[in-house]
Amino acid sequence: MRQSWRISGSYANWRIIVCIEPPDDATSADVPEWPFDKLAPVVGHFFEAVNYYEMSRDADGARQLS
């Protein structure tokens, strides 16, 4: 299973790709689709991290201007 999310920010375009694959020693390569509610915490953390980084860059730029 593979899913990606993208954010267009002020300083960068951000993308996270989540790949869920079977372990190396698996006898079956069938990995079922995970429901979004299982991935929601990962996606939420990604959005928070991007927002934090973008806001800190804004704050750093404002300090340099003053």
Side-chain angles (χ1 to χ4, degrees):
M1 185 193 113
R2 179 182 166 122
Q3 288 188 313
S4 67
W5 293 267
R6 185 180 189 107
I7 300 173
S8 295
S10 300
Y11 300 99
N13 290 321
W14 304 81
R15 183 178 357 171
I16 185 172
I17 300 170
V18 175
C19 296
I20 301 170
E21 300 175 343
D24 291 338
D25 61 350
T27 57
S28 171
D30 183 29
V31 177
E33 288 283 321
W34 280 35
F36 180 75
D37 62 329
K38 299 288 186 189
L39 296 175
V42 173
V43 176
H45 180 70
F46 169 64
F47 276 76
E48 287 178 21
V50 168
N51 286 335
Y52 175 76
Y53 183 77
E54 294 261 339
M55 287 187 319
S56 69
R57 288 285 308 254
D58 286 342
D60 289 344
R63 274 185 280 230
Q64 290 176 0
L65 293 175
S66 56

